[in-house]
Amino acid sequence: MNIIIYGNGTSKNHGCEAIVRGTVSVLGENNYTIMSQNIEDDYLYHLNDIANVISAKTPIKRNISFLLAYIKMKLKKEYVYLDGLHYDSQIKSCKGKADIALSVGGDNYCYGGTDIYAYLNKAYHKQGIKTVLWGCSIEPDVVMQKNVSVDLSKYDHIVVRESITYEAVKKVNSNVSLFPDPAFFMSSVKPEIPQIFEENVVGINISPVIIDNEKNSGIVLKNYVKLIEYILNNTNYLVALIPHVILDSNNDNSAIKMIYNYFKDNCRVIVYPDMKATELKYVISKCRFFIGARTHSTIAAYSTCVPTVVVGYSVKAKGIAKDLFGTWENYVLPAQELYKENALLNSFLWIEKNEFVIKEELKKKMVIYKQEKHKMKSVITELVG
């Protein structure tokens, strides 16, 4: 098959990288073309080793299409047509060459600005290419917005990654399947760095998004500091601070630095450098416990059977945990509930107490998920025909 992968963000968000790598693992040997939003970053993390990576955008030509889009922007304040012109040339070049186009941005529909994805959906269809919204999560109230529901109804198939989204999406598109996030199937690779631990490590990932959305100023930092103080004073665990997104405008290291400054003189607290998603998964797999804010850092933990607390802020965190354990309670600490200084510590103590039960549950679930991998592939092969 000739498969287009589009809608993915930069690989400096290693969740975006993990989705692509997991997708290739699920679908196997095919010809993949990534429509890249940042070609330099995707080359930096070597996605070009598994796919043909080309820029999703090209300069706009000043033609009749540009004139019509410009008029719509000026008269109706509709910017999507002008933005979409950047994508048209590359999409048109796929005509007759691509069997299917996968929109792989897992939460592209979660945060507004979805009109561009509707534009791309239509643009691929105009070239006779079937589209699949692949590995997505969408807030149920967003699904029911008129413009979003119309767009979702036009995908040839939708693969959702958790049951909360599935229940919402099936109301607007009957061609929907529920499967694990593709990143569950990404392999891990041992990084070539000297500081690799083997046991008794608590891995911690924190996102500046959590801090930006805190209810009480400083409460998020207080929660993480209190947790680490407990670990250092009452256990023999090491603490590893692990970034998973390093975008200039949204960098986990900015939050990690604030935490590390409290403990920089303690040799039991270490900060891991940036590396590929496969290597980050290896590092996380060696943790005894994991506390994660970024969805795909927690998927790296879940998929390697590491007991995990998710500090979540959207439907995807609750939905993924619910499908794994039957409930998200105790496994997900909503960011909005970080209003007491010991909230995160209490969540950690619960997974520590239930460590072996959680590990066994994850082991059983990963066996089931491996069987789901083959079904995921069949959805695409049957759609291509």
Side-chain angles (χ1 to χ4, degrees):
M1 286 186 289
N2 293 310
I3 299 172
I4 301 294
I5 293 175
Y6 76 97
N8 52 310
T10 165
S11 288
K12 285 187 174 180
N13 180 334
H14 294 299
C16 297
E17 180 194 355
I19 289 175
V20 172
R21 292 187 181 277
T23 297
V24 172
S25 175
V26 169
L27 300 182
E29 293 187 9
N30 293 288
N31 296 317
Y32 298 93
T33 298
I34 297 172
M35 294 293 194
S36 175
Q37 298 291 335
N38 192 313
I39 197 166
E40 292 83 6
D41 290 351
D42 288 345
Y43 267 82
L44 177 64
Y45 295 98
H46 302 288
L47 285 186
N48 54 302
D49 290 345
I50 60 173
N52 177 33
V53 181
I54 65 175
S55 178
K57 296 182 178 182
T58 58
I60 296 175
K61 295 180 180 179
R62 300 298 181 97
N63 53 21
I64 187 65
S65 295
F66 167 78
L67 179 60
L68 292 173
Y70 185 79
I71 291 172
K72 288 179 180 178
M73 180 189 70
K74 285 294 185 181
L75 296 182
K76 298 182 179 181
K77 305 299 182 184
E78 295 177 351
Y79 295 88
V80 66
Y81 298 99
L82 201 57
D83 293 339
L85 289 179
H86 286 284
Y87 297 91
D88 281 352
S89 179
Q90 294 289 52
I91 293 174
K92 288 177 181 177
S93 71
C94 298
K95 185 175 184 178
K97 301 176 184 177
D99 295 303
I100 200 161
L102 306 182
S103 178
V104 302
D107 51 8
N108 282 345
Y109 283 83
C110 287
Y111 305 115
T114 63
D115 287 349
I116 189 62
Y117 304 112
Y119 182 98
L120 298 176
N121 191 10
K122 291 178 183 178
Y124 279 104
H125 279 139
K126 285 180 181 178
Q127 304 309 316
I129 302 170
K130 292 181 178 179
T131 61
V132 175
L133 183 56
W134 178 254
C136 68
S137 289
I138 312 173
E139 297 284 351
D141 59 334
V142 174
V143 171
M144 300 317 297
Q145 293 175 9
K146 181 64 175 178
N147 61 325
V148 175
S149 62
V150 170
D151 175 29
L152 294 177
S153 71
K154 296 184 183 302
Y155 282 97
D156 294 281
H157 202 89
I158 298 176
V159 175
V160 303
R161 60 184 171 185
E162 35 75 21
S163 56
I164 296 175
T165 295
Y166 176 77
E167 293 300 323
V169 169
K170 71 179 184 179
K171 296 175 182 177
V172 300
N173 190 331
S174 60
N175 298 313
V176 58
S177 301
L178 171 61
F179 290 114
D181 187 297
F184 273 95
F185 306 109
M186 180 185 70
S187 61
S188 64
V189 175
K190 186 174 183 178
E192 295 180 0
I193 57 175
Q195 196 176 48
I196 285 292
F197 43 79
E198 296 299 332
E199 60 183 354
N200 282 343
V201 175
V202 179
I204 295 178
N205 164 259
I206 180 172
S207 160
V209 176
I210 299 293
I211 297 174
D212 291 343
N213 289 281
E214 65 185 2
K215 299 299 182 182
N216 301 325
S217 180
I219 194 64
V220 170
L221 186 60
K222 288 178 181 177
N223 265 270
Y224 279 87
V225 169
K226 195 172 186 71
L227 168 64
I228 295 172
E229 285 178 341
Y230 173 86
I231 292 171
L232 296 177
N233 293 332
N234 297 279
T235 76
N236 64 349
Y237 305 147
L238 299 178
V239 175
L241 303 174
I242 304 171
H244 211 262
V245 174
I246 60 158
L247 295 168
D248 292 341
S249 59
N250 187 9
N251 193 327
D252 290 353
N253 281 316
S254 64
I256 285 173
K257 184 178 180 181
M258 288 191 286
I259 296 173
Y260 183 69
N261 284 339
Y262 281 87
F263 305 102
K264 59 186 177 183
D265 296 325
N266 193 312
C267 62
R268 288 169 61 196
V269 180
I270 58 176
V271 178
Y272 264 81
D274 179 48
M275 57 190 81
K276 291 188 292 185
T278 51
E279 296 170 328
L280 286 168
K281 184 169 184 174
Y282 179 89
V283 170
I284 291 170
S285 76
K286 295 302 178 182
C287 295
R288 182 167 176 178
F289 305 101
F290 189 70
I291 315 293
R294 299 291 187 179
T295 297
H296 286 90
S297 73
T298 64
I299 287 176
Y302 285 148
S303 61
T304 53
C305 303
V306 177
T308 298
V309 172
V310 181
V311 184
Y313 48 87
S314 68
V315 65
K316 55 188 174 182
K318 292 181 178 179
I320 291 170
K322 177 177 176 289
D323 294 343
L324 284 168
F325 304 107
T327 178
W328 59 266
E329 293 184 13
N330 294 315
Y331 300 97
V332 177
L333 177 61
Q336 301 91 322
E337 294 184 13
L338 285 171
Y339 52 81
K340 294 182 179 179
E341 292 183 20
N342 62 348
L344 186 57
L345 172 58
N346 288 339
S347 292
F348 169 75
L349 292 174
W350 189 88
I351 66 162
E352 185 184 37
K353 179 181 178 181
N354 295 279
E355 174 185 5
F356 299 108
V357 173
I358 294 171
K359 286 181 73 73
E360 287 305 309
E361 188 65 27
L362 285 170
K363 287 177 183 178
K364 292 176 185 177
K365 206 69 177 183
M366 289 311 105
V367 172
I368 295 171
Y369 276 18
K370 286 179 181 178
Q371 297 170 350
E372 295 287 278
K373 178 179 179 180
H374 303 293
K375 297 177 184 178
M376 288 177 74
K377 182 176 181 179
S378 67
V379 166
I380 301 304
T381 55
E382 290 174 11
L383 195 59
V384 170

